[in-house]
Amino acid sequence: MSFPVVVKDNYVKYVLLHLIIGLLVYLLPVISKVYAIIIFVFGIQYIIKHKNKNHEALLAATYIVSAEVFLRMTHGNFFEQYAKYGVIIFLTIGMYFKGFSKKSVPYWIFLLLLLPGVFMSFFTLRFETDIRKAITFNIIGSITLFFSALYCYNNKITFNRLLDTLRVMIYPLVSMLVYMFLYTPSIKDVVTNTESNFETSGGYGPNQVSTILGLGIFLFYVKFVLNSKNKWIKLMNLVLLIAVTFRGIVTFSRGGIITGILMVIILTSVLFFKVNRIAKLKISGLVFFLILGFAGVWVYTSVQTGGLIDKRYANQDARGRVKESKLTGREVLIESEFNMFLDNPIFGIGVGKNREYREETTGIQAASHNEISRLFAEHGMFGIFALLVLIGTPLFLYINNQQNIFVICFIVFWLLTINHAAMRLAAPAFVYALSLLKVQFENSNEKNQPALHRE
């Protein structure tokens, strides 16, 4: 098949479109705000026009989740939690048309378990603190997870539509990659130590950039392995996979990249045990090829960074000395949060009180970026129960939902991400919810009917 024919493929056209968007935003930054408006307005119009008959709400939410870091990086967000509110609005409209499962009781319980911590905030936060902002900032990630889970819980979707959802998440990442390459064309010029690097991260927070690029490694891998129609598209996806891996590594933020690679390993293992002997041989060859490819990317990155990336992942400073902290000092912050829990084991210290309490008791003004220890500290035993609900529910559903081959990958992304980046992005909450979808293959006789309809 010739390349001109390939360009007619919608996937290729959308990739090219987003290459252009990335270029335009770099040349004229105000376009980023226009882009943010278009995402929101078009998303609502798209859902209402189709009445969410084929999970249009899920696609719209997927897109804004993927675009969040790019919009923040380019100052396109009108406010910090733009993507989270977008997800909530899109999915609420979707549920208006198609309802939600009446069996989604675990997530109503999860929501109720958060309330005691919210009430505690009114009594524990300082008088001069803006209580509404403090609570909203710390609870909006959990609320996003609730709405995402409510929409996805046992909601039937075809495997191909799920692949469409993951494909849509790719597009904003393409724009982001273009912007990052233009923002920092020469890695050698800006890498001088082993600390997380804002310059190689498009001028934005390396932790969050690494998180979304790590997810991108998984997404491009899925597209390359499961959903490339011909050799040209497969080659394009391979190039994009290499690009996202390289740019993710040079952020010098390890959490997101390790998470993305682990997701790839898990998916490969799941596929290996689900296919026949011939397919196993093909997967084995693919794994060997990908290992060689990753080794090549790593060697190139090492050369570009003068060997500093090797020291970063070996937990060394620029002089090769092993750092005392393996978690860049976060273990001290996490320990302080567990102490908060021990001091207030029932109701916790209240949502948003975390930073104030740490400053009062230790003098440290910082956030741990660990959602698990934050849940314990601010919600007490109710936070423990909430976490058990979140971990147990998708695993229980997976017993009867093994056609969703991505479940473990989604849960791992959520669990590892909230350990190093909390819920600052919409991605962990939304990707977690995708593990709750009931996946069916096209030949299934069951119709896509939700269990609870609007009145």
Side-chain angles (χ1 to χ4, degrees):
M1 181 177 289
S2 63
F3 187 73
V5 175
V6 175
V7 175
K8 294 181 180 179
D9 182 275
N10 283 335
Y11 171 67
V12 177
K13 287 194 291 187
Y14 284 128
V15 167
L16 294 175
L17 172 62
H18 284 81
L19 285 170
I20 295 171
I21 290 174
L23 174 62
L24 291 177
V25 169
Y26 177 77
L27 295 175
L28 193 61
V30 70
I31 291 178
S32 183
K33 289 194 178 297
V34 177
Y35 179 47
I37 294 172
I38 291 174
I39 292 173
F40 187 73
V41 173
F42 178 78
I44 292 176
Q45 181 186 27
Y46 180 61
I47 299 165
I48 294 175
K49 178 181 178 181
H50 296 278
K51 297 183 178 180
N52 201 35
K53 291 180 180 178
N54 197 17
H55 290 295
E56 285 78 13
L58 195 65
L59 296 184
T62 297
Y63 192 93
I64 200 170
V65 164
S66 180
E68 181 178 16
V69 175
F70 179 53
L71 291 175
R72 289 186 179 188
M73 179 186 295
T74 56
H75 308 289
N77 274 356
F78 289 91
F79 50 92
E80 187 174 4
Q81 307 300 341
Y82 177 79
K84 293 189 181 78
Y85 284 109
V87 169
I88 292 170
I89 291 170
F90 289 160
L91 296 182
T92 299
I93 296 173
M95 287 186 282
Y96 171 80
F97 286 111
K98 300 206 69 173
F100 56 88
S101 173
K102 60 184 178 183
K103 295 181 180 180
S104 56
V105 176
Y107 294 97
W108 290 102
I109 294 174
F110 166 73
L111 187 65
L112 291 173
L113 288 170
L114 299 179
L115 294 181
V118 173
F119 291 140
M120 283 294 296
S121 301
F122 291 97
F123 301 99
T124 60
L125 287 171
R126 295 171 183 168
F127 180 76
E128 66 272 17
T129 299
D130 188 325
I131 295 178
R132 182 187 63 82
K133 286 185 178 180
I135 293 176
T136 301
F137 178 81
N138 288 278
I139 206 73
I140 187 62
S142 296
I143 299 301
T144 304
L145 188 150
F146 167 74
F147 277 93
S148 301
L150 195 64
Y151 178 92
C152 292
Y153 188 92
N154 222 24
N155 204 341
K156 296 170 186 174
I157 187 172
T158 65
F159 182 73
N160 285 338
R161 195 57 168 173
L162 180 56
L163 288 179
D164 288 341
T165 303
L166 298 183
R167 186 190 72 237
V168 166
M169 199 176 283
I170 282 175
Y171 299 137
L173 296 182
V174 173
S175 298
M176 182 173 160
L177 282 174
V178 171
Y179 180 87
M180 290 176 67
F181 274 107
L182 293 172
Y183 187 91
T184 319
S186 174
I187 300 301
K188 289 181 179 180
D189 294 339
V190 296
V191 174
T192 58
N193 55 48
T194 61
E195 302 301 318
S196 296
N197 195 304
F198 280 77
E199 288 298 313
T200 59
S201 304
Y204 190 62
N207 193 8
Q208 296 182 47
V209 174
S210 168
T211 295
I212 204 67
L213 291 182
L215 178 60
I217 290 173
F218 170 75
L219 295 171
F220 285 115
Y221 176 74
V222 170
K223 185 66 180 171
F224 175 73
V225 174
L226 298 178
N227 200 14
S228 294
K229 294 181 180 179
N230 55 63
K231 64 180 182 180
W232 287 109
I233 293 180
K234 188 175 284 289
L235 177 61
M236 182 181 74
N237 288 323
L238 179 61
V239 171
L240 290 171
L241 176 58
I242 291 171
V244 77
T245 303
F246 170 67
R247 292 305 309 204
I249 293 173
V250 296
T251 63
F252 278 72
S253 183
R254 296 165 293 187
I257 305 308
I258 293 172
T259 299
I261 292 173
L262 184 57
M263 292 172 75
V264 167
I265 293 172
I266 291 171
L267 177 60
T268 304
S269 301
V270 170
L271 291 174
F272 187 83
F273 287 107
K274 282 183 174 290
V275 298
N276 57 34
R277 186 173 60 85
I278 297 176
K280 279 183 170 64
L281 292 174
K282 291 183 179 180
I283 291 176
S284 298
L286 174 65
V287 169
F288 178 74
F289 175 74
L290 287 174
I291 290 174
L292 287 179
F294 180 78
V297 172
W298 186 270
V299 170
Y300 177 76
T301 306
S302 181
V303 171
Q304 290 294 304
T305 61
L308 290 174
I309 194 63
D310 305 274
K311 294 177 180 178
R312 172 63 171 175
Y313 278 77
N315 199 43
Q316 299 174 353
D317 63 17
R319 295 184 178 181
R321 297 171 298 190
V322 177
K323 298 179 181 179
E324 293 183 7
S325 171
K326 293 184 178 180
L327 299 174
T328 60
R330 289 179 186 166
E331 60 268 36
V332 176
L333 306 179
I334 293 171
E335 182 182 359
S336 71
E337 289 176 339
F338 279 115
N339 288 333
M340 295 176 203
F341 167 73
L342 294 175
D343 292 340
N344 304 269
I346 307 300
F347 296 104
I349 61 175
V351 175
K353 181 63 178 177
N354 193 322
R355 293 176 70 102
E356 291 183 0
Y357 196 96
R358 181 181 294 110
E359 183 182 355
E360 293 166 2
T361 56
T362 67
I364 300 173
Q365 296 181 353
S368 68
H369 300 150
N370 188 300
E371 188 69 11
I372 294 177
S373 58
R374 188 199 68 81
L375 271 174
F376 292 177
E378 296 187 353
H379 296 272
M381 69 174 187
F382 293 96
I384 295 177
F385 293 145
L387 184 64
L388 291 175
V389 168
L390 295 181
I391 293 175
T393 304
L395 294 177
F396 178 78
L397 289 179
Y398 184 55
I399 296 173
N400 297 313
N401 186 29
Q402 296 191 23
Q403 290 181 338
N404 188 347
I405 61 174
F406 306 117
V407 166
I408 305 300
C409 297
F410 293 154
I411 296 174
V412 165
F413 174 78
W414 163 73
L415 191 58
L416 293 186
T417 299
I418 65 174
N419 269 280
H420 71 84
M423 301 276 272
R424 291 190 292 172
L425 298 178
F430 182 76
V431 171
Y432 166 87
L434 295 179
S435 69
L436 305 174
L437 291 167
K438 187 173 181 61
V439 177
Q440 300 173 324
F441 290 107
E442 296 289 355
N443 59 357
S444 175
N445 292 322
E446 297 181 43
K447 295 181 179 179
N448 187 3
Q449 297 178 340
L452 181 66
H453 292 277
R454 65 182 178 88
E455 295 294 334

